[in-house]
Amino acid sequence: MSQLENRTYDELNTGDTASVTHLVTERDLSLFAAVSGDVNPVHLDEAFAAATPFKGRIAHGMFSGALISAAIACELPGPGTIYIGQEMSFMRPVRLGDEVRVELEILEKLPKNRVKIATRVFNQDNKQVVDGVATVMAPTEKASMERPTLPEVKIG
């Protein structure tokens, strides 16, 4: 089990970075569709998706957004961070089997414990798939905890 530890507003500096990688699986797409209700066949139906400009299934765009949210919540600034806003541009599709890397960089510290964070996602070929900026409220007190074990979820 790993530890989650935050960085408080006072500990953050412009230029601080963190990154997290994730392998995109069939299970991810199925669970994301089930939780979000987004059953667009471009994500779930290979025959349908093959006839689109993408020539195959792609991950939900907001799945990348969820990975960004997880990186902010668990890595930088970490536990206790509150999302205020997110700007996001989808630059290229994320596909099944892609290993994506979420990169975070502190851009600016603002009043009231607010922080602007660059949120960039790259695929395994180092091609950027998402570009964005998050505004969050950073924690003001230290927090450290064991990463919770998630429940087993069965599909079907």
Side-chain angles (χ1 to χ4, degrees), residues 81-148:
T81 302
I82 304 297
Y83 242 110
I84 304 296
Q86 175 77 53
E87 297 173 22
M88 207 175 339
S89 297
F90 303 103
M91 305 172 77
R92 47 180 55 84
V94 172
R95 300 181 182 280
L96 282 168
D98 280 358
E99 184 169 70
V100 294
R101 182 179 72 256
V102 177
E103 293 187 356
L104 305 175
E105 179 184 358
I106 303 297
L107 296 175
E108 182 181 7
K109 292 175 72 172
L110 304 168
K112 298 184 180 179
N113 303 321
R114 274 29 177 206
V115 180
K116 284 204 178 285
I117 303 173
T119 55
R120 303 175 186 111
V121 183
F122 298 85
N123 66 19
Q124 66 280 353
D125 298 322
N126 210 35
K127 293 183 177 174
Q128 192 169 6
V129 297
V130 176
D131 189 36
V133 175
T135 303
V136 303
M137 187 182 334
T140 56
E141 296 190 18
K142 288 298 288 180
S144 180
M145 60 187 277
E146 281 191 26
R147 183 181 294 268

Side-chain angles (χ1 to χ4, degrees), residues 32-48:
F32 195 84
V35 169
S36 69
D38 181 350
V39 294
N40 184 335
V42 75
H43 309 304
L44 304 174
D45 183 322
E46 186 59 47
F48 178 91

